[in-house]
Amino acid sequence: MMNRLPQPFGAGRPRCALPSDSHELPPTADPVVERCQGRPKPVHWFVLLAVLFGLVCRLSQYAANTSLWHDEAYVALSILHKSFAGLLGPLDWKEASPPGFLVVEKLVVAFLGRSEYALRLVPLVAGLAGMICFVGLARRVCGAGVAAFFAVLMMAASVKLIVQSNEVKHFTVDLLLAVLLGWLAIRIWHLRSLGPALLAWGALGAAGPWLSYASLFVFAGTSLALAPRVIRAWHWPVWATYLAANLAVLISLVLLLGPIRAQLSEEMLGFWAKGFPDTSSLAALVYWLGRSHLGLFDYFWRPFGGVLIPLALLGGVRWWRTDRRPELLCLWLPVLMALAASFLHRWPFGGNQQMVFAAPAALLLAAEGVDSLRRRLTRWHALAGWTVVVCLLLPGLVDAAYRIGTPRLRHEVRPVIEFVQRHLQPADQLLVFIPAEFEFYTGRDFRNISVEPDPSARVWVIVGGSRSKGLPLPAQALLDRLVRRRPELQAIEEYGAAAYLFGPERGPGTRPSP
C-alpha cells in the first residue's frame, strides 16, 4: 500500500535521486516530451504562424491610433501632470496604477511626446513580448504537441488581450510578468541546481510589483508551489536563496505600501464590488463562484469562453495524471491567491482587466482540455475531434482576422472634439460629460464646471455615447430639456462619443421645430 500513495508535487522521482549539476533533467524523463516526440516540426511551424498572427493583430490595432477612452485618459493625465515623485502618491480621477509603470510611461512621453502612439508604446511592447514569451511557456508545459499550438492560437486571437496591448494601462505588463514568473518557477522545478534560477525568479519577483500589482499573486503562488521542491533539495544554500528571494519581495511590498494605500479609495472598492464574493448565503456564494469563473474564461476567449471551463478541468486532470503537477500548481495557485484576496475585498476576481495575469493559466489548461477532447472524439470518428476544435476556435480567429483591416473602436472622442473646435464660437458654452478625455485633447479642465445651460448662449453638449445607442442618464435628461427649449443647430456622432450644438432658448411663443 505504501508504494501506491500519491506524491502530490511531483515528479515521482525519489529525493535522493536528484543530481547535483546545473543541467536540467534529460528530455526523456519528461513524459510530455516523450508523448510528443516524432511530430514536433509540423506543429512548430503552426505555432510560428500563430505567433505571427498574434503580433499582426496587435500591431494593426496600434497602427489604427484610436482615441483614448476615459480609463486611458485618467492614467494619461496623471502621467502628464504629475512629477516623478507625485506618481508615488494618489493619482487623479481616483485611478490606480503601479508607480513603476507610470514612471516608465513618463520617461517615454518625455522623449517621444504625448501622442497616443507614445502613451501606448509600453503596453504594446509588453503585449508583443508576452505573446512571444508565452510560446516558450506553452512548449514547456504542453510539450511539442498540438495543445501548445491551441494555447498560442487562443492567446494570439484573444480580443481582450489584443485590446489591452493598445491601451494606456499596465495589464499587458501583468501578463508578461505572469508568463515569465510562471516559466521560471516551472523551470526551477525541473532543474538539478536551483540557485541561479531562484535568484532570477526572486529578482523579477521583487521588481515586479512596481510594474504590476498582480505580479504579487504570481510570485506568492509560485513561491508556495516551489516550497516542496526547495525542501527536497536538502541544501542549505538553496534554502537560503529561496528565503532571500521571498524576503526581497516582502521588502519591495513594504516599500510599495505607501503608493498602494494612497491609490486605494472607497470609490475604487465600490467599482470593484461585483468582483467580491457574495457571502450572504451558501447558494449566493456558489452562484458567485460559478459566475466569476465563467466571466474569467469568457474574458479571454469569445464567444465560447464558458465552454472552456469544463475543458480546463479536463486539462487539469490530464496534467495531474501525466506527472505535470508542478506545472499545474505554478500556474493555477496565483489565480487562487487572487480569489483569496477577493474574499478580503482587496482584488476583483472574475472577468475583468485586473485578472489579465490569469490568461496563461486559463488558456494553457483550456488548450490541454481541447486537445484531450479531440483525441477522445477522434477515436470515435476520424473527423469528430477536429470538427469540435474548429467550432470552438474558428469564430474567434475569424473575428481577429477581420479586425486586422477593421480595427476595434471603443470611444472615438478625438474627431468629436476636433469638430467642436472647428465650429466653436467665443461666446459658446460647453457642457462636458467626458471631462478626462476633453482635458487630454484640449488641455481644459471641466471637472468642476457647472452643467447648467445659459439661456442666451449657444450650448454644446459633449457626451460619451450617442442618442441612437443610448446616453448616460444625466446627459440624456439634459439633452431632452434642451431639445424642448432650443433649436438644434449641429451634431456629430462617432463610435462612443457625440457632440450636439443648440441655439439660445426660444421665445415664449416659439414652437419647437419638427
Side-chain angles (χ1 to χ4, degrees):
M1 294 296 293
M2 292 295 292
N3 293 332
R4 299 181 62 184
L5 289 175
Q7 300 181 26
F9 298 102
R13 287 176 285 270
R15 183 173 54 202
C16 59
L18 289 174
S20 59
D21 59 63
S22 60
H23 298 290
E24 293 187 61
L25 295 173
T28 55
D30 187 345
V32 182
V33 176
E34 285 184 346
R35 186 176 68 248
C36 301
Q37 281 179 343
R39 55 172 185 175
K41 290 186 178 180
V43 175
H44 172 77
W45 287 111
F46 281 118
V47 169
L48 179 60
L49 289 175
V51 173
L52 293 176
F53 178 67
L55 299 182
V56 170
C57 288
R58 286 152 177 78
L59 289 170
S60 64
Q61 183 69 28
Y62 178 76
N65 196 30
T66 56
S67 303
L68 265 63
W69 66 295
H70 54 267
D71 268 16
E72 292 182 279
Y74 296 158
V75 177
L77 291 174
S78 290
I79 293 168
L80 296 174
H81 295 163
K82 287 187 173 292
S83 65
F84 286 101
L87 296 175
L88 296 174
L91 304 181
D92 295 335
W93 307 91
K94 306 295 183 182
E95 189 64 21
S97 191
F101 169 79
L102 297 176
V103 168
V104 174
E105 281 278 352
K106 194 169 184 67
L107 289 172
V108 172
V109 168
F111 283 99
L112 300 180
R114 51 165 290 162
S115 69
E116 294 94 332
Y117 282 130
L119 286 163
R120 289 171 174 157
L121 182 61
V122 174
L124 174 69
V125 171
L128 298 177
M131 180 76 250
I132 294 171
C133 293
F134 181 71
V135 178
L137 177 62
R139 290 180 65 86
R140 173 163 286 277
V141 173
C142 300
V146 294
F149 167 64
F150 292 155
V152 174
L153 194 60
M154 287 193 287
M155 174 75 77
S158 172
V159 173
K160 290 294 185 180
L161 298 182
I162 293 171
V163 170
Q164 294 293 348
S165 297
N166 291 279
E167 291 186 348
V168 191
K169 305 286 284 187
H170 60 276
F171 301 115
T172 51
V173 182
D174 296 354
L175 175 66
L176 175 61
L177 288 174
V179 170
L180 293 177
L181 286 170
W183 178 82
L184 272 173
I186 293 170
R187 186 168 186 269
I188 289 168
W189 246 102
H190 297 290
L191 283 173
R192 294 181 171 120
S193 180
L194 310 185
L198 279 174
L199 284 175
W201 170 73
L204 186 61
W210 294 87
L211 300 168
S212 159
Y213 292 143
S215 70
L216 288 167
F217 299 124
V218 183
F219 183 86
T222 54
S223 179
L224 185 60
L226 286 175
R229 175 67 179 92
V230 172
I231 294 172
R232 287 179 59 205
W234 284 99
H235 293 296
W236 168 245
V238 172
W239 295 353
T241 305
Y242 173 79
L243 293 174
N246 281 270
L247 181 61
V249 175
L250 181 60
I251 293 173
S252 179
L253 175 59
V254 170
L255 295 175
L256 194 59
L257 282 178
I260 290 176
R261 288 173 177 171
Q263 293 181 9
L264 196 62
S265 64
E266 292 299 325
E267 290 85 351
M268 184 184 303
L269 293 176
F271 181 75
W272 286 355
K274 291 183 178 180
F276 301 147
D278 184 355
T279 56
S280 59
S281 66
L282 179 60
L285 178 60
V286 171
Y287 172 76
W288 179 86
L289 288 171
R291 179 173 57 83
S292 60
H293 281 83
L294 177 63
L296 180 67
F297 281 87
D298 187 61
Y299 191 84
F300 298 129
W301 189 252
R302 295 180 178 179
F304 300 123
V307 180
L308 297 185
I309 294 180
L311 293 175
L313 291 173
L314 180 61
V317 171
R318 186 171 182 81
W319 283 7
W320 192 268
R321 290 180 174 177
T322 54
D323 205 20
R324 285 177 283 174
R325 299 167 192 176
E327 287 81 352
L328 178 63
L329 294 174
C330 287
L331 290 174
W332 201 250
L333 276 178
V335 182
L336 297 182
M337 292 287 179
L339 179 60
S342 72
F343 277 85
L344 301 176
H345 288 201
R346 284 299 178 266
W347 197 263
F349 186 88
N352 61 72
Q353 54 193 5
Q354 303 293 339
M355 292 298 298
V356 166
F357 77 94
L363 294 181
L364 284 169
L365 280 171
E368 188 70 34
V370 170
D371 186 40
S372 181
L373 179 63
R374 177 191 66 83
R375 290 167 178 266
R376 293 169 186 240
L377 293 177
T378 302
R379 295 170 190 164
W380 172 65
H381 191 281
L383 296 178
W386 286 107
T387 301
V388 171
V389 171
V390 169
C391 291
L392 283 173
L393 302 186
L394 187 61
L397 296 175
V398 169
D399 179 65
Y402 170 75
R403 293 298 181 179
I404 291 176
T406 307
R408 295 172 179 84
L409 303 177
R410 185 161 193 171
H411 196 65
E412 284 306 296
V413 68
R414 184 176 59 228
V416 171
I417 292 177
E418 291 172 350
F419 176 85
V420 172
Q421 290 176 322
R422 287 196 302 269
H423 298 88
L424 186 67
Q425 296 181 6
D428 288 354
Q429 182 184 13
L430 295 174
L431 305 182
V432 179
F433 288 85
I434 45 174
E437 299 96 306
F438 196 84
E439 182 178 352
F440 175 81
Y441 284 109
T442 67
R444 298 176 64 179
D445 186 352
F446 275 82
R447 273 178 286 184
N448 300 315
I449 303 299
S450 171
V451 292
E452 187 60 33
D454 184 346
S456 60
R458 299 199 322 166
V459 174
W460 288 92
V461 180
I462 305 170
V463 296
S466 64
R467 281 184 289 195
S468 59
K469 295 185 178 180
L471 294 170
L473 187 58
Q476 186 64 60
L478 175 65
L479 205 63
D480 292 341
R481 183 158 54 115
L482 293 174
V483 167
R484 290 193 301 268
R485 299 180 180 180
R486 299 167 181 255
E488 184 173 339
L489 305 180
Q490 294 192 67
I492 178 174
E493 293 185 351
E494 293 290 339
Y495 192 96
Y500 307 98
L501 173 62
F502 293 90
E505 285 194 8
R506 303 182 182 91
T510 308
R511 292 186 176 183
S513 57

